[in-house]
């Protein structure tokens, strides 16, 4: 009996892990297979849908061979809460059931090896019943396999939202109470591309990436191309769209169209995107004719960071939000007056600065508004600024949310194809698709895609076509942004908690560095004077530094090194400084006397005059008065006789440099090799003192000898 019990317990011990199946192994193995989708059709299920196709690739990203990789589709129950939508986006484990059987992907996948994934399922019969009711459903692409030294497990997955307007084979029904919808379409660069653009000199980009973005299959070209196709095909969609433009992007591409250079380690080279810049600007102007446009901050600068560059002074914030004139000039369209779409929700201090700059409406995250006013605007307490909320859930679906711990599901922001799919699903959910009639829903949806949305043109086109389909089906009704903003705010309240997500904030070191650069630029400007012949204002000379500070504060730099963010500002301040310099002498300079002046040749290549001071370093043996300011006229070189005093004879070196009266260095130092045959005052004094000391010592010795001689004669006598 004891032997039977022991054997039974042994079998039970071995069977429990097998009964647990993939969930146990999954916890042990984690994500070893990456699933990349390149096709999903259809994007929205309707009564005429008969098949569902998913295609892509499966890649072994682990360090062990995986045998028998196989894939199937699984579908969950309709999501009924925002939390349920977020669970799908984050890859949380959901209750679902198979839509297909497992199908083999390959016999085995070695590390780094890929294999195609292709599933087509007929949505007829019992399978059609899985999508029988309108709503938004979780759809999971589940890949299982057996890694070496492990058991069968889910090793990779993609989770997405699938909207169902009408069950397959069913008749559509009328919809009532659809919310209105407005869609923003952002056009801004991946990161600010300007390396240096000094006053009166060619534009230099940090690389030629922007040329690739505005041509061919590039991101910015795709955004313009997809929007052009969509608005031509649907007047209702065109009515709902408003294009958000970055003034820095437009000014940069406009400068590229006239020729530019690219910075390299070996020196600047000519850029290759001049013709692409001309073509992209022309396509943009055609697209925007008669369309709604709103302004982004210059370079999509983080306004909280901008405010920290010069605390207590709103000048930089005002400059960051004053790009409407540049947009009107370069794009040929007038942006909505006083409307701004900043990255993040401004604090009360920034809102005050925005109000002073003429901003009356900010488009911002609904989650940061209290109250959210069900999609209506909020007048911010203590401010004249109206906050119009963008829909947080739809934005999160398109941008991506963090995956839950130990999930093997690919995060949405790594899947270029499903970011738009989840955006469609979240939009349909927020519009109330398939939800109970009594469930609260917003009156208006302001859809804000990722500010740097990166998707192929076909994907962007498909997304816009499906949104147009939602309008046709009555899921949402289009409304132009000006009409939305013409309505009175629905409520009055505070701006959220006033805090920022630490993970989304700009590196504090960036603000500190930019603040130091701003101080240097201010010191330079204060030392400059208008030249009566050139008529260039000092503020114009330092203006590129101010723009570089805004580029350094761009939200695009979040998560990137601080040095990359501040490189443009550092280059602009150096470009000004290097144009005022002391020339290196070609030969040794002989000082004819102890107080002979030192001839110094200074070149000021700036179009303004500038006051500066000479500074001598490594100057043992030479003294000068470095407190005296010297005025250097604009545009030329001139020799100055710098009063110095030699403190010793011989050959020695001295470094001569310039700085503004506030201490900002100008140019680089020059080394002077000097010879002196004259004694300076201190040397003469020291020589005289030594001579007097020698005379006294000699006199004392003579005196002692005389005294000793007399003493000897007295003894003899």
């Amino acid at each position: 009996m004891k032997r039977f019990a022991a054997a039974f317990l042994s079998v039970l011990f071995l069977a429990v892990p097998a009964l647990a199946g993939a969930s146990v192994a999954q916890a042990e193995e984690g994500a070893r297979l990456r699933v990349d989708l390149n096709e999903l059709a259809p994007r929205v299920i309707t009564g005429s849908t008969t098949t569902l196709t998913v295609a892509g690739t499966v890649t072994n990203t682990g360090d062990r061979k995986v045998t028998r990789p196989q894939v199937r589709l699984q579908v969950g129950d309709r999501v009924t809460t925002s939390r349920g939508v977020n669970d799908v986006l984050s890859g949380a484990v959901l209750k679902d059931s198979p839509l297909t059987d497992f199908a083999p992907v390959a016999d085995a996948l070695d590390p780094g090896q890929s294999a195609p994934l292709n599933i087509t399922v007929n949505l007829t019969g019992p399978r059609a019943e899985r999508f029988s009711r309108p709503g938004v459903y979780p759809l999971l692409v589940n890949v299982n396999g057996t890694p070496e030294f492990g058991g069968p497990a889910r090793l990779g997955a993609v989770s997405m939202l699938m909207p169902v307007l009408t069950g397959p084979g069913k008749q559509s029904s009328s919809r009532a109470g659809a919310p209105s919808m407005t869609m923003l379409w952002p056009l801004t660069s991946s990161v600010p591309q300007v390396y240096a653009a000094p006053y009166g000199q060619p534009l230099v980009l940090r690389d030629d990436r922007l040329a690739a973005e505005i041509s061919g299959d590039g991101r910015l070209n795709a955004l313009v191309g997809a929007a052009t196709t969509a608005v031509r095909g649907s007047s209702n969609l065109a009515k709902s769209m408003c294009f958000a433009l970055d003034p820095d992007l437009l000014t940069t591409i406009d400068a590229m169209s006239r020729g530019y250079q690219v910075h390299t380690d070996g020196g600047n080279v000519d850029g290759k995107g001049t013709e692409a810049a001309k073509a992209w600007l022309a396509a943009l102007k055609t697209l925007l004719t008669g369309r709604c446009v709103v302004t982004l901050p210059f370079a999509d600068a983080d306004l909280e960071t901008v405010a920290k560059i010069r605390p207590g002074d709103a000048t930089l914030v005002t400059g960051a939000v004053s790009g409407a004139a540049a947009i009107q000039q370069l794009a040929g369209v007038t942006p909505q007056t006083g409307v701004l779409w900043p990255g993040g929700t401004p604090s009360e201090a920034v809102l005050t600065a925005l109000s002073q700059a003429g901003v009356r409406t900010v488009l911002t995250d609904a989650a940061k508004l209290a109250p959210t006013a069900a999609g209506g605007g909020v007048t911010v307490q203590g401010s004249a600024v109206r906050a119009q909320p963008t829909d947080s859930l739809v934005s999160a679906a398109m941008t991506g949310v963090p995956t839950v711990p130990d999930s093997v599901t690919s995060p949405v922001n790594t899947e270029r194809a499903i970011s738009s799919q989840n955006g469609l699903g979240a939009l349909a959910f927020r519009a109330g698709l398939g939800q109970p009639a009594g469930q609260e829903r917003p009156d208006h949806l302001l859809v804000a895609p990722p500010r740097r949305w990166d998707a192929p043109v076909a994907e962007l086109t498909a997304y816009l076509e499906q949104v147009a389909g939602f309008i046709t089906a009555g899921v949402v009704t289009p409304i132009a942004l000006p009409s939305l903003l013409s309505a009175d705010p629905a409520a009055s309240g505070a701006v959220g908690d006033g805090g920022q997500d630490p993970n989304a904030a700009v590196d504090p070191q960036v603000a500190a560095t930019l603040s130091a650069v701003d101080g240097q630029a201010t010191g330079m400007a204060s030392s400059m004077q208008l030249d009566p012949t050139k008529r260039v204002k000092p503020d114009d000379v330092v203006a590129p530094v101010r723009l570089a500070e805004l580029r350094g504060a761009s939200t695009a730099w979040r998560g990137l090194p601080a040095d990359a963010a501040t490189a443009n500002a550092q280059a602009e301040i150096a470009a000004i400084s290097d144009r005022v310099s002391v020339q290196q002498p070609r030969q040794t300079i002989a000082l004819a006397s102890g107080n002979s002046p030192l001839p110094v040749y200074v070149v000021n290549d700036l179009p303004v005059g500038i006051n500066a001071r000479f500074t001598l370093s490594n100057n043992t043996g030479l003294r000068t008065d470095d407190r005296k300011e010297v005025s250097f006229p604009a545009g030329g070189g001139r020799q100055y006789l710098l009063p110095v005093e030699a403190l010793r004879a011989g050959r020695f070196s001295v470094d001569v440099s310039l700085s503004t009266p506030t201490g900002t260095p100008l140019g680089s130092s020059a080394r002077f090799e000097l010879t002196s045959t004259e004694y300076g005052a201190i040397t003469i004094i020291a020589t005289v003192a030594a001579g007097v000391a020698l005379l006294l010592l000699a006199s004392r010795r003579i005196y002692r000898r005389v005294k000793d001689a007399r003493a000897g004669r007295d003894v003899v006598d």
Side-chain angles (χ1 to χ4, degrees), residues 30-285:
R32 290 185 172 274
L33 299 177
R34 188 183 73 239
V35 182
D36 298 306
L37 300 184
N38 53 36
E39 181 182 356
L40 174 65
R43 298 306 181 92
V44 177
I45 293 177
T46 65
S48 61
T49 301
T50 58
T51 60
L52 175 63
T53 299
V54 176
T57 58
V58 177
T59 303
N60 184 351
T61 57
D63 57 358
R64 284 185 269 170
K65 182 178 181 179
V66 175
T67 58
R68 294 184 297 278
Q70 49 190 345
V71 61
R72 75 178 178 187
L73 299 184
Q74 299 170 198
V75 61
D77 296 332
R78 291 188 308 169
V79 291
T80 57
T81 63
S82 297
R83 181 176 180 179
V85 172
N86 281 321
D87 285 344
V88 176
L89 300 178
S90 65
V93 177
L94 303 175
K95 181 181 179 181
D96 56 22
S97 57
L99 186 64
T100 68
D101 295 329
F102 274 112
V105 174
D107 293 334
L109 289 176
D110 292 321
Q113 190 176 7
S114 299
L117 173 157
N118 201 316
I119 302 176
T120 298
V121 53
N122 291 321
L123 294 184
T124 56
R127 287 172 173 168
E129 290 302 312
R130 298 296 298 124
F131 301 109
S132 61
R133 300 169 60 191
V136 179
Y137 292 77
L139 182 65
L140 181 73
V141 182
N142 177 23
V143 181
N144 282 14
T146 304
E148 285 183 314
F149 316 113
R154 177 185 295 179
L155 301 181
V158 172
S159 182
M160 70 193 87
L161 298 168
M162 175 58 73
V164 176
L165 296 185
T166 306
K170 298 182 179 295
Q171 296 294 322
S172 61
S173 57
S174 60
R175 296 181 175 84
S180 58
M181 181 209 70
T182 302
M183 181 185 300
L184 299 173
W185 198 252
L187 294 171
T188 188
S189 59
S190 298
V191 294
Q193 291 294 329
V194 176
Y195 177 79
Y199 181 87
Q201 296 186 0
L203 168 71
V204 181
L205 301 184
R206 61 178 70 239
D207 53 46
D208 221 1
R209 187 184 314 171
L210 187 53
E213 288 198 28
I214 60 176
S215 60
D217 296 331
R219 184 182 67 86
L220 289 169
N221 207 36
L223 287 167
V224 171
T228 299
T229 301
V231 298
R232 287 175 179 171
S234 173
S235 58
N236 283 327
L237 177 65
K239 175 184 177 181
S240 72
M241 293 185 74
C242 196
F243 296 87
L245 304 182
D246 172 13
D248 180 45
L249 175 66
L250 295 187
T251 54
T252 301
I253 296 178
D254 178 66
M256 289 174 62
S257 70
R258 297 188 298 274
Y260 66 103
Q261 295 183 319
V262 174
H263 176 74
T264 69
D265 293 338
N268 296 340
V269 298
D270 290 338
K272 300 179 180 179
T274 298
E275 295 304 317
K278 294 177 182 178
W280 190 86
L281 281 176
L284 179 66
K285 290 179 182 179

Side-chain angles (χ1 to χ4, degrees), residues 548-715:
E549 292 169 18
L550 300 180
R551 295 187 189 104
S554 174
T555 60
W557 297 115
R558 291 173 177 171
L560 297 177
D563 290 347
T566 60
N568 180 205
Q570 302 277 20
E572 298 291 6
I573 201 75
I576 298 175
S577 171
D578 291 345
R579 296 178 71 177
V580 183
S581 60
V582 177
Q583 279 200 346
Q584 184 79 31
R586 297 181 179 179
Q587 57 188 9
T588 302
I589 297 175
L591 300 178
S593 63
N595 57 356
S596 293
L598 180 64
V600 180
Y601 194 83
V602 175
V603 175
N604 176 18
D605 194 34
L606 293 172
V608 294
I610 188 167
N611 291 338
R613 293 173 178 168
F614 287 105
T615 300
L616 273 63
S617 57
N618 188 32
N619 60 327
T620 303
L622 201 66
R623 181 170 59 187
T624 186
D625 183 5
D626 56 6
R627 294 170 297 177
K628 183 179 179 181
E629 293 183 15
V630 181
S631 180
F632 302 99
R638 182 178 169 186
Q639 184 164 282
Y640 294 83
L641 298 178
L642 181 61
V644 295
E645 180 184 356
L647 304 180
R648 62 181 177 85
R651 186 186 181 99
F652 50 92
S653 302
V654 61
D655 295 327
V656 180
S657 59
L658 289 169
S659 63
T660 67
T662 57
T664 301
L666 297 172
S668 56
S669 62
R671 171 152 295 187
F672 285 64
E673 298 294 336
L674 307 177
T675 60
S676 175
T677 59
E678 294 289 336
Y679 293 106
I682 293 179
T683 305
I684 294 174
I685 292 173
T687 302
V688 171
V692 171
L694 181 61
L695 181 60
L696 291 175
L697 290 173
S699 300
R700 182 174 180 273
R701 187 169 185 180
I702 293 171
Y703 169 75
R704 291 182 62 88
R705 286 184 176 181
V706 172
K707 183 179 179 181
D708 291 344
R710 289 179 178 177
R713 286 197 299 268
D714 290 340
V715 172

Side-chain angles (χ1 to χ4, degrees), residues 159-515:
S159 182
M160 70 193 87
L161 298 168
M162 175 58 73
V164 176
L165 296 185
T166 306
K170 298 182 179 295
Q171 296 294 322
S172 61
S173 57
S174 60
R175 296 181 175 84
S180 58
M181 181 209 70
T182 302
M183 181 185 300
L184 299 173
W185 198 252
L187 294 171
T188 188
S189 59
S190 298
V191 294
Q193 291 294 329
V194 176
Y195 177 79
Y199 181 87
Q201 296 186 0
L203 168 71
V204 181
L205 301 184
R206 61 178 70 239
D207 53 46
D208 221 1
R209 187 184 314 171
L210 187 53
E213 288 198 28
I214 60 176
S215 60
D217 296 331
R219 184 182 67 86
L220 289 169
N221 207 36
L223 287 167
V224 171
T228 299
T229 301
V231 298
R232 287 175 179 171
S234 173
S235 58
N236 283 327
L237 177 65
K239 175 184 177 181
S240 72
M241 293 185 74
C242 196
F243 296 87
L245 304 182
D246 172 13
D248 180 45
L249 175 66
L250 295 187
T251 54
T252 301
I253 296 178
D254 178 66
M256 289 174 62
S257 70
R258 297 188 298 274
Y260 66 103
Q261 295 183 319
V262 174
H263 176 74
T264 69
D265 293 338
N268 296 340
V269 298
D270 290 338
K272 300 179 180 179
T274 298
E275 295 304 317
K278 294 177 182 178
W280 190 86
L281 281 176
L284 179 66
K285 290 179 182 179
T286 301
L287 169 63
L288 297 181
T289 301
R291 309 292 180 201
C292 170
V293 169
V294 296
T295 306
L296 293 170
F298 186 90
D300 195 25
D302 178 76
L303 299 180
E304 300 298 325
T305 301
V306 173
K308 294 175 183 177
I309 295 174
R310 199 185 297 171
D313 187 340
T315 305
L316 283 178
V317 175
T318 300
V321 301
S322 302
I327 291 174
Q328 183 174 7
Q329 177 185 357
L330 300 176
V333 62
T334 303
Q336 297 296 305
T337 303
V339 181
L340 182 75
W341 183 20
T345 302
S347 64
E348 293 182 9
V350 171
L351 281 172
T352 300
L354 293 180
S355 180
Q356 294 172 355
V359 175
R360 295 292 174 264
T361 302
V362 293
L363 312 178
T364 189
D365 185 358
K368 296 290 186 179
L369 298 179
T372 58
V378 174
T379 299
V380 181
Q381 294 173 350
S383 171
V385 177
R386 166 186 178 147
Q388 185 67 37
T390 58
D391 192 274
S392 306
L393 186 67
V394 178
S395 295
M398 302 175 79
T399 305
V401 298
T403 56
V404 298
D406 301 324
S407 172
V408 298
T409 303
S410 300
V412 63
N413 54 345
T414 66
E415 292 287 342
R416 300 172 74 196
I418 65 172
S419 63
S420 59
Q421 180 63 27
N422 284 330
L424 291 170
L427 176 59
F429 172 82
R430 291 289 286 153
L433 181 64
Q435 302 304 308
Q439 184 166 325
E440 183 178 352
R441 68 186 66 174
D443 299 325
H444 180 78
L445 294 169
L446 182 54
V447 178
R451 302 170 83 83
R452 295 167 185 84
W453 200 3
D454 186 9
V457 64
E459 187 66 26
L460 297 172
T461 302
Y463 171 78
L464 291 174
E465 288 177 348
Q466 293 299 336
V467 174
F470 284 167
I471 295 174
T472 302
V475 177
V476 292
T477 58
I479 184 174
L481 183 65
S483 299
L484 171 66
L485 299 181
S486 65
D488 293 333
S492 176
V495 178
D497 57 9
Q500 284 191 332
D501 180 0
N503 296 324
V506 176
D507 188 341
Q509 183 59 40
V510 170
T513 301
L514 295 177
S515 181

Side-chain angles (χ1 to χ4, degrees), residues 7-20:
F8 175 78
L9 290 175
S10 299
V11 172
L12 181 62
F13 177 77
L14 294 174
V16 168
L19 292 174

